[in-house]
C-alpha cells in the first residue's frame, strides 16, 4: 500500500464574473509515494504544488481523476485523523499563545486531552520554541511561526506530514534543525510530503522528488536520478593531462575538459569511457577515481523547467 | 465533541478580542444605572416604583406593582434587544469570516472535522457568548428589581433564552453573508440591513408594503417572504409580551427555527462546495 497515490488527478479553477474562465492548475497528475519516504514536490510558483496537497486534504475538489491517502480513497474525512499539515502562509488566531494553539488544534485533531500537555511540551522543545510557549502568537517572528506550524502539524502524531514551504523565513541554523527533525520523523516511519522552493534543502533530505510545471509532471525519481547527467564521467587524476592525450581523447568522445585534477569526459557509451581510461593508462596518467558526473538539483530543476540541456 | 471544542474556543476568542468584555461593560453600566435610579415609594394608598425619586405611576397594590415591574423589565429587554442587534452582530460577525480566511481555514479543515461542523461550532460559539452577556444583564436586572421592588419575575429571567433565540435567528443571516462573502463588513451589513430593511417592513407589511400595490401576486410574494425568513420583530414582541405576563404566539419562534436552520443549511452547503 502506498502512503499517497494519485491517478490522473486534474484540477481546473474557474474564475471571472460568470466563472467562465478556466484556469488549469493540475493536469493528469499521477504519482505514488511509498510509506516512510521523504517525497518532495518541486516547481515554480503556480505549478500546482499546493493545489495537489489541498486536493489530498479535501480542501479543494478534483475536477477529474482520483487519489488515495493511506489506502483510503478521497474524499474521506477519516484520512485527516492521520495527517498533519503545515500550510504556506498559515495564520493562527493572534490572541492565542503558542501553547494554546497546540492545545486548540490538538483537540480539534482528536488528540486525547490527558496526553496533550506532555505532547505539547515535548513538541515545543523539539522545534525550539519552549521558551515562548506563553507568548501570544501575534508577537511571534516568521521563523517562530514556522516552528510552531511544524509542531502543530505533528501534534496528533500523524502518519503523513504535509509541509508547504516549512523553512520559509527560518534562519540557516533553524533550517538545519528542521532537516534533522524531518530525518528523525522518517526514522520513525513517518511519510513526509514536502513542497519547497529551496532546492538545496530538498536535495539534502528527499528520497524522491517530482518536478511539476504548469500543472504537468515533468519528471519523478530519486535525487541521484534527477541529477545524473547522462554519460558524463569525472575521472580523478594526479597532475595535468598531457596535451597530446587530450587531443587524442577528444577525437572519439563528445567532449573532454579538465578542471584541477578532475577530467570530465562526456561519452556516448561506457565503451567510450573505457577507451578514455585505456588511453590515460597507456600514457602513464595515474587515475585516482572514476565517478558519474552530477549536476546540482537546482541545475536539473532549471534545465527541466526551461527545457535546456544540462551545462 | 469537536463541536464542543469549537464552541468553547470561540467563546474564548470573543473574550480575547474584548468583545465579551465590551458587551459586559455596557451591561454593567446599564445595571449600575438601574441600581442607582430604581427605588420604591410606599404610601397608605400603595406602593410605586421610582426612578431618581420620581414615581413611575400612582401608588398601586402589590399585584399591580408586579405588573408595573414586568412592564419596566420588558422595556429594558426591548432596549437590550436593540443593543444585541447592534453590538452583538458587530462583535461576532468576524468569528465566521476570520475562520474562513486564507491560511486559517486550511488549518481547520486539515483536521478531521467536517465543514458543517466548523460552521456550526463557530455559530454556536458566538451564540453562546451572546447568551452569557444576555444572562448577565437580565440576571443582574432581575436581582436588582427583585431586591429593590420585591418582585421576582421568573418569565423575565427566562427571557434570556428567548432573546438569545432571537439573536440566533438573526445570526444565521449574518453567518450566511459571512460564508458567501468571507468579508466581515458585508456580513455585518447583510445582517443589519436584513433586520432594518426586510424583517421590519415585512412584519408591518399589512399597513405598509401592501399599500404600494393591490396585486394579489405582489401581496402573495410579500407573505411568502415573510414566512421564508426569520420573523425577528414578531419574536421580539413575543418575548416582551411574555415578560409582561401576557400571551405570546409560538408560531414565529417555530417558523424562525425552521427558517434559520434552513439558512444555516444553505450556508453549510455553499461552504462544502467551495475550494480553498
Amino acid at each position: 500500500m502506498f502512503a499517497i497515490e494519485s491517478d490522473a488527478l486534474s484540477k481546473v479553477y474557474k474564475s471571472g464574473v460568470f466563472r467562465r474562465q478556466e484556469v488549469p492548475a493540475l493536469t493528469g497528475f499521477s504519482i505514488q509515494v511509498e510509506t516512510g519516504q521523504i517525497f518532495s514536490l518541486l516547481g515554480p510558483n503556480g505549478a500546482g504544488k499546493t493545489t495537489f496537497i489541498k486536493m489530498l486534504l479535501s480542501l479543494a475538489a478534483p475536477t477529474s481523476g482520483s487519489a488515495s491517502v493511506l489506502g483510503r480513497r478521497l474524499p474521506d474525512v477519516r484520512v485527516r485523523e492521520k495527517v498533519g499539515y503545515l500550510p504556506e502562509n498559515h495564520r493562527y488566531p493572534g490572541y492565542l499563545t503558542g501553547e494554546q494553539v497546540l492545545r486548540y488544534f490538538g483537540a480539534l485533531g482528536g488528540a486525547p486531552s490527558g496526553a496533550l500537555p506532555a505532547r505539547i511540551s515535548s513538541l515545543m522543545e523539539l522545534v525550539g520554541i519552549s521558551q515562548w510557549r506563553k507568548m501570544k502568537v501575534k508577537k511571534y517572528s516568521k521563523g517562530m511561526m514556522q516552528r510552531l506550524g511544524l509542531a502543530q502539524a505533528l501534534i496528533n502524531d500523524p502518519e503523513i506530514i504535509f509541509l508547504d514551504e516549512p523553512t520559509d523565513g527560518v534562519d540557516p541554523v533553524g533550517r538545519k534543525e528542521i532537516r534533522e527533525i524531518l530525518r528523525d520523523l522518517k526514522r520513525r516511519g513517518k511519510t513526509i510530503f514536502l513542497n519547497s522552493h529551496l532546492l538545496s534543502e530538498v536535495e539534502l533530505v528527499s528520497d524522491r522528488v517530482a518536478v511539476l510545471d504548469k500543472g504537468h509532471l515533468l519528471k519523478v525519481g530519486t535525487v541521484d536520478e534527477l541529477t545524473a547527467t547522462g554519460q558524463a564521467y569525472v575521472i580523478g587524476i594526479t597532475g595535468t593531462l598531457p596535451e597530446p592525450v587530450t587531443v587524442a581523447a577528444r577525437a572519439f568522445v563528445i567532449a573532454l575538459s579538465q578542471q584541477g585534477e578532475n577530467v570530465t569526459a562526456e561519452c556516448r557509451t561506457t565503451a567510450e569511457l573505457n577507451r578514455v581510461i585505456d588511453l590515460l593508462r597507456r600514457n602513464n596518467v595515474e587515475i585516482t577515481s572514476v565517478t558519474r558526473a552530477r549536476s546540482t538539483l537546482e541545475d536539473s530543476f532549471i534545465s527541466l523547467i526551461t527545457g535546456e540541456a544540462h551545462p | 465533541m469537536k463541536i464542543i471544542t469549537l464552541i468553547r474556543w470561540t467563546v474564548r476568542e470573543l473574550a480575547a478580542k474584548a468583545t465579551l468584555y465590551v458587551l459586559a461593560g455596557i451591561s454593567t453600566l446599564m445595571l449600575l444605572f438601574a441600581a442607582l435610579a430604581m427605588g420604591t415609594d410606599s404610601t397608605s394608598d400603595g406602593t410605586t416604583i421610582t426612578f431618581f425619586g420620581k414615581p413611575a405611576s400612582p401608588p398601586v397594590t402589590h399585584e399591580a406593582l408586579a405588573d408595573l415591574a414586568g412592564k419596566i423589565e420588558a422595556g429594558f429587554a426591548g432596549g437590550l434587544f436593540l443593543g444585541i442587534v447592534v453590538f452583538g452582530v458587530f462583535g461576532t460577525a468576524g468569528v465566521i469570516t476570520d475562520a474562513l480566511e486564507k491560511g486559517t481555514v486550511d488549518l481547520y479543515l486539515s483536521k478531521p472535522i467536517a465543514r458543517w461542523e466548523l460552521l456550526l461550532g463557530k455559530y454556536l460559539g458566538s451564540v453562546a457568548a451572546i447568551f452569557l452577556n444576555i444572562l448577565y444583564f437580565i440576571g443582574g436586572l432581575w436581582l436588582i428589581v427583585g431586591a429593590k421592588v420585591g418582585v421576582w419575575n421568573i418569565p423575565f429571567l427566562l427571557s434570556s433564552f428567548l432573546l438569545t433565540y432571537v439573536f440566533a435567528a438573526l445570526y444565521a443571516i449574518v453567518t450566511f453573508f459571512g460564508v458567501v462573502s468571507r468579508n466581515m463588513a458585508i456580513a455585518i451589513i447583510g445582517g443589519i440591513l436584513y433586520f432594518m430593511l426586510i424583517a421590519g417592513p415585512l412584519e408591518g407589511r399589512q399597513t405598509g408594503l401592501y399599500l404600494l400595490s393591490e396585486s394579489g401576486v405582489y401581496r402573495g410574494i410579500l407573505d411568502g417572504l415573510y414566512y421564508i425568513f426569520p420573523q425577528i420583530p414578531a419574536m421580539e414582541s413575543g418575548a416582551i409580551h411574555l415578560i409582561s405576563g401576557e400571551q405570546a404566539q409560538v408560531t414565529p419562534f417555530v417558523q424562525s427555527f425552521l427558517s434559520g436552520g434552513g439558512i444555516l443549511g444553505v450556508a453549510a452547503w455553499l461552504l462544502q462546495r467551495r475550494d480553498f
Side-chain angles (χ1 to χ4, degrees), chain B residues 3-4 14 40 62 73 104 122 135 138 147 168 175 178 183 199 205:
Chain B
I3 286 187
I4 301 290
L14 288 167
T40 52
H62 184 73
E73 287 170 333
T104 303
K122 289 281 172 184
L135 190 63
I138 296 277
T175 300
N183 181 306
R205 67 196 181 287

Side-chain angles (χ1 to χ4, degrees), chain B residues 30-217:
Chain B
M30 288 175 72
L31 289 174
L32 281 173
F33 171 78
L36 291 171
M38 201 180 286
T40 52
D41 187 16
S42 295
T43 62
S44 56
D45 295 333
T47 307
T48 189
I49 297 170
T50 61
F51 282 96
F52 295 111
K54 292 187 177 171
S57 72
V60 292
T61 61
H62 184 73
E63 290 74 26
L65 188 69
D67 284 347
L68 181 61
K71 285 189 169 54
I72 289 170
E73 287 170 333
F76 271 104
L80 173 66
F81 174 72
L82 282 177
I84 292 165
V85 169
V86 177
F87 294 110
V89 167
F90 269 86
T92 55
V95 165
I96 303 295
T97 53
D98 287 355
L100 299 181
E101 263 190 33
K102 190 176 165 62
T104 303
V105 69
D106 312 61
L107 291 166
Y108 281 118
L109 297 183
S110 67
K111 301 298 174 193
I113 50 173
R115 295 183 183 197
W116 69 264
E117 286 180 300
L118 174 66
L119 192 68
L120 190 61
K122 289 281 172 184
Y123 169 83
L124 291 177
S126 296
V127 172
I130 293 298
F131 172 68
L132 291 176
N133 259 288
I134 291 174
L135 190 63
Y136 171 65
F137 180 78
I138 296 277
L141 194 62
W142 183 75
L143 286 172
I144 289 168
V145 172
K148 291 221 164 189
V149 185
V151 174
W152 300 95
N153 185 5
I154 297 295
F156 178 58
L157 193 60
L158 296 178
S159 72
S160 307
F161 294 99
L162 284 183
L163 288 174
T164 306
Y165 190 90
V166 179
F167 171 77
L170 180 61
Y171 196 60
I173 306 265
V174 175
T175 300
F176 174 81
F177 281 109
V179 168
V180 170
S181 68
R182 293 166 79 183
N183 181 306
M184 188 173 82
I186 292 175
I188 291 171
I189 291 167
I192 299 286
L193 285 186
Y194 167 74
F195 176 68
M196 289 170 64
L197 300 182
I198 298 178
L202 281 178
E203 184 65 34
R205 67 196 181 287
Q206 285 164 336
T207 54
L209 293 172
Y210 270 12
L211 304 178
L212 295 176
S213 167
E214 291 186 353
S215 157
V217 175

Side-chain angles (χ1 to χ4, degrees), chain A residues 11 54 58-61 77 80-81 85 87 89-92 95-96 100 104-105 107-109 152 156, chain B residues 2 5-6 9 12-13 16 101-113 115 122 274-276:
Chain A
K11 178 68 187 174
K54 287 190 170 187
S58 303
L59 287 163
V77 76
R80 287 181 264 158
E81 289 169 5
Y85 178 39
N89 300 322
H90 51 286
R91 287 169 56 123
Y92 294 108
Y95 55 86
L96 296 177
Q100 287 171 334
Y104 184 21
F105 286 96
L108 288 178
Q152 180 277 132
N156 293 96
Chain B
K2 280 161 194 158
T5 302
L6 281 165
W9 284 85
R12 287 184 73 152
E13 174 184 341
E101 263 190 33
K102 190 176 165 62
T104 303
V105 69
D106 312 61
L107 291 166
Y108 281 118
L109 297 183
S110 67
K111 301 298 174 193
I113 50 173
R115 295 183 183 197
K122 289 281 172 184
R274 176 168 288 165
D275 286 331
F276 290 101

Side-chain angles (χ1 to χ4, degrees), chain A residues 180-233:
Chain A
E180 284 309 312
I181 292 169
L182 299 186
R183 288 193 185 108
D184 180 54
L185 289 167
K186 186 192 159 187
R187 276 193 289 275
R188 288 162 46 204
K190 309 290 183 188
T191 306
I192 297 162
F193 193 96
L194 196 64
N195 271 2
S196 181
H197 290 111
L198 292 173
L199 302 177
S200 55
E201 297 285 324
V202 168
E203 194 166 9
L204 288 168
V205 296
S206 304
D207 295 308
R208 291 181 78 223
V209 176
V211 179
L212 196 61
D213 186 34
K214 295 177 185 136
H216 294 272
L217 178 65
L218 297 184
K219 197 164 185 178
V220 62
T222 63
V223 171
D224 283 349
E225 286 166 356
L226 260 70
T227 53
T229 53
Q231 297 279 19
Y233 297 89

Side-chain angles (χ1 to χ4, degrees), chain A residues 102 119-133 140-141 143-152 154 170-171 173-174 177-178 181:
Chain A
L102 296 185
R119 178 93 182 135
I120 289 168
S121 292
S122 70
L123 279 175
M124 293 198 111
E125 194 70 42
L126 179 73
V127 300
I129 54 170
S130 54
Q131 64 270 45
W132 299 299
R133 62 189 298 159
Y140 274 32
S141 67
M144 287 157 71
M145 285 294 273
Q146 286 299 99
R147 288 163 185 260
L148 178 64
L150 184 58
Q152 180 277 132
L154 301 175
V170 180
D171 60 43
V173 176
E177 287 169 2
I178 289 176
I181 292 169

Side-chain angles (χ1 to χ4, degrees), chain A residues 51-99:
Chain A
T51 296
F52 180 62
I53 290 186
K54 287 190 170 187
M55 285 197 284
L56 294 181
L57 293 170
S58 303
L59 287 163
T63 306
S64 63
S66 63
S68 64
V69 174
L70 296 168
R72 288 188 186 278
R73 195 180 161 91
L74 300 176
D76 187 335
V77 76
R78 288 170 297 178
V79 161
R80 287 181 264 158
E81 289 169 5
K82 296 174 179 176
V83 161
Y85 178 39
L86 167 64
E88 190 181 13
N89 300 322
H90 51 286
R91 287 169 56 123
Y92 294 108
Y95 55 86
L96 296 177
T97 64
E99 188 178 18

Side-chain angles (χ1 to χ4, degrees), chain A residues 216-279:
Chain A
H216 294 272
L217 178 65
L218 297 184
K219 197 164 185 178
V220 62
T222 63
V223 171
D224 283 349
E225 286 166 356
L226 260 70
T227 53
T229 53
Q231 297 279 19
Y233 297 89
V234 178
I235 305 167
I237 61 167
T238 308
T240 310
L241 205 59
E243 186 59 26
V245 176
T246 304
V247 172
R250 279 181 178 157
F252 58 86
V253 297
I254 298 168
L256 187 124
S257 61
Q258 185 173 9
Q259 197 166 30
E261 294 194 328
N262 285 330
V263 174
T264 303
E266 199 175 330
C267 311
R268 290 175 194 84
T269 61
T270 47
E272 271 186 12
L273 169 69
N274 284 304
R275 221 173 135 191
V276 174
I277 292 169
D278 290 344
L279 178 68

